[in-house]
Amino acid sequence: SYENRSQQGVTWTVVSPIIFTYRIIQCRDLLDPGNDALLWGHVGDGALTGAARNGSKPVRRFVVIDETVHRLYGPRFARYFEAWGVEAKILPLATTEENKSLELVAKILEEVHEFGIDRRAEPIIAVGGGVCLDTVGLAASLYRRRTPYIRVPTTLLAYVDASVGAKTGVNFAGGKNKLGSYVPPVASLLDCSFFQTLPRRQISNGLAEMLKMALMKHPGLFRLLEADGRKLLCAKLQPCDAISGSSSEQEDGAVASTRIAIETMLEELAPNLWEDDLDRLVDFGHLVSPELEMQRVLPALLHGEAVNIDMAFMVYLAHQKGLLTGDEKERIIRCMRGLELPVWHRDCTLDLVRQSLQERLKHSAGSLRMPLPTGLGRA
Ligand SMILES: NC(=O)c1ccc[n+]([C@@H]2O[C@H](COP(=O)([O-])OP(=O)(O)OC[C@H]3O[C@@H](n4cnc5c(N)ncnc54)[C@H](O)[C@@H]3O)[C@@H](O)[C@H]2O)c1
Ligand SMILES: [Zn+2]
């Protein structure tokens, strides 16, 4: 900090860079009792792990889990903690987009408080889709000003997107994610085997965010999704080595596509965790989609679907502006259809686009930036 004296008095200016360190860990068999990642993955290898394990205090964990995920995997989580002798409180909640609110945050906080956690040693664990991870993240960032938390994404969308960055949030006053914080988890634990129980539509939903990264900055990922998108969708992004036992000389399509999506996302997010820089490629598809998402009554659009409708519109716009050739435009739209994503919606009107642009302009310090594709994998 530094001091500045003037006739009016003294001003102290505090400059305090905050450093966050968090780990994103891809692993198989997260629920195998032989795998300690769920308990200790956030600590990292080394001394602390041993100390924490050998400590005399019993290990405790507070787990918030999406209701549907609990129905499917609850017993395996219970068995896992039992095997490690962990005193676990597992709280299943209906973490739906309609419930993504401050009330849900308060409900979680009350339960956390009742259980009583040691905020230095007992991170809160969130298991579910983006709604669960966002809501628990916000609750954790509020509890005693900041309690560490762990993300375990169980949808493809949360795996490639919500688990990678630092954002938490809930909907508020009719606005999507209008309340939130930039507080990353201490760890994100990624296990793609959860996708096996996802409905096909949820896989397409996640592929939309992967396509976003492909269109903005990775021609190779675009080619992969263009050529094998449908195959990946049908296989629910399960790597086929498990089945065929094939050698790993050539990286599996499912493994490669999720890895590239995460890497490109991190490249964009890590230097700009607080989103101070408004030139954000990751915002592609997120200009009109928030309005579209909030406006929809049932049957609601999924996040990735709304994002894709937004992207398709922008692809046409880019073509109009001469940034994309007709052939490139066609290829992108065909790829989207192959991934079984909607490319058009009757509620995505010019009025809605205008309204979204105005809304965005209000929060962009007067100058509106919007990413547009200028080729296949370039923006
Ligand atoms: N924080 C971020 O950076 C970020 C990024 C992208 C999206 N989001 C947010 O994420 C939310 C969307 O996330 P989502 O698409 O994961 O939706 P979601 O959390 O609503 O989950 C989708 C559905 O899948 C079910 N489900 C979850 N895992 C399952 C499994 N393994 N098997 C079967 N069913 C399962 C859930 O019960 C739910 O019905 C939005 O609210 C969006 O704002 C946040
Ligand atoms: Zn998104």
Side-chain angles (χ1 to χ4, degrees):
S1 67
Y2 54 92
E3 212 179 294
N4 189 6
R5 286 169 196 276
S6 71
Q7 276 177 335
Q8 283 78 31
V10 187
T11 305
W12 286 270
T13 304
V14 180
V15 180
S16 173
I18 302 169
I19 293 174
F20 277 120
T21 306
Y22 62 107
R23 318 178 89 208
I24 299 164
I25 303 168
Q26 251 180 339
C27 59
R28 300 268 185 90
D29 308 319
L30 190 66
L31 297 180
D32 180 342
N35 185 347
D36 69 354
L38 189 57
L39 283 177
W40 305 115
H42 62 289
V43 182
D45 11 70
L48 256 177
T49 317
R53 264 189 218 163
N54 298 333
S56 50
K57 269 175 66 184
V59 179
R60 302 170 85 238
R61 288 292 183 271
F62 188 90
V63 184
V64 182
I65 184 167
D66 175 276
E67 211 169 59
T68 306
V69 178
H70 184 250
R71 214 174 307 125
L72 294 163
Y73 301 93
R76 291 192 61 198
F77 275 94
R79 252 180 277 135
Y80 179 91
F81 290 118
E82 210 179 278
W84 283 93
V86 172
E87 186 195 328
K89 159 80 185 171
I90 298 181
L91 176 67
L93 287 176
T95 46
T96 61
E97 194 64 50
E98 300 76 55
N99 293 348
K100 196 185 182 191
S101 65
L102 264 190
E103 286 78 72
L104 193 57
V105 171
K107 160 112 182 108
I108 294 166
L109 289 174
E110 274 157 25
E111 297 272 354
V112 166
H113 192 63
E114 190 172 318
F115 181 70
I117 56 170
D118 173 350
R119 76 175 277 285
R120 264 172 302 276
E122 299 169 349
I124 298 171
I125 301 176
V127 184
V131 173
C132 182
L133 307 189
D134 276 6
T135 311
V136 175
L138 180 58
S141 75
L142 291 172
Y143 191 62
R144 305 191 62 191
R145 300 205 172 83
R146 184 153 62 86
T147 294
Y149 70 102
I150 291 170
R151 286 177 178 154
V152 180
T154 59
T155 63
L156 176 60
L157 186 124
Y159 185 102
V160 295
D161 195 337
S163 286
V164 178
K167 285 195 272 185
T168 77
V170 294
N171 303 331
F172 178 71
K176 183 112 180 84
N177 299 325
K178 276 284 141 65
L179 292 178
S181 60
Y182 289 106
V183 177
V186 282
S188 284
L189 307 173
L190 313 184
D191 181 349
C192 67
S193 55
F194 286 113
F195 306 159
Q196 284 166 342
T197 49
L198 280 177
R200 193 177 169 95
R201 186 177 170 198
Q202 292 289 344
I203 302 284
S204 293
N205 188 41
L207 282 165
E209 296 278 11
M210 292 167 67
L211 179 61
K212 173 186 80 177
M213 297 318 296
L215 291 175
M216 289 292 98
K217 56 180 294 171
H218 207 290
L221 181 56
F222 177 76
R223 281 194 301 273
L224 211 164
L225 293 176
E226 186 183 37
D228 294 337
R230 186 169 287 273
K231 220 166 70 190
L232 294 172
L233 174 60
C234 292
K236 298 193 173 175
L237 278 111
Q238 297 305 298
C240 47
D241 62 350
I243 311 156
S244 66
S246 67
S247 77
S248 56
E249 238 168 65
Q250 204 186 339
E251 196 182 18
D252 179 86
V255 176
S257 59
T258 48
R259 177 183 58 75
I260 298 169
I262 290 170
E263 275 170 11
T264 48
M265 196 81 86
L266 277 175
E267 274 167 28
E268 290 301 301
L269 292 180
N272 192 22
L273 212 53
W274 281 266
E275 301 188 321
D276 300 321
D277 182 357
L278 294 171
D279 286 335
R280 298 188 299 248
L281 295 181
V282 291
D283 276 357
F284 186 52
H286 293 70
L287 196 71
V288 188
S289 62
E291 311 284 324
L292 195 57
E293 255 180 287
M294 289 310 286
Q295 207 182 53
R296 297 296 303 141
V297 280
L298 291 168
L301 279 173
L302 301 179
H303 178 72
E305 294 171 346
V307 166
N308 201 71
I309 291 163
D310 180 320
M311 293 197 296
F313 178 84
M314 297 301 168
V315 163
Y316 271 81
L317 184 67
H319 174 56
Q320 290 277 307
K321 289 175 71 73
L323 300 171
L324 280 180
T325 67
D327 179 56
E328 287 168 335
K329 180 193 75 177
E330 290 305 322
R331 279 175 67 184
I332 295 171
I333 301 296
R334 211 177 309 126
C335 177
M336 289 171 164
R337 288 188 185 283
L339 302 177
E340 297 180 7
L341 286 161
V343 294
W344 178 87
H345 198 282
R346 71 183 132 74
D347 290 353
C348 187
T349 60
L350 203 51
D351 270 348
L352 188 87
V353 174
R354 279 207 194 92
Q355 193 187 313
S356 310
L357 288 173
Q358 260 148 28
E359 182 66 21
R360 181 57 67 99
L361 192 56
K362 266 195 262 167
H363 305 285
S364 309
S367 77
L368 184 72
R369 260 76 141 241
M370 54 195 270
L372 285 175
T374 56
L376 300 169
R378 214 179 47 213

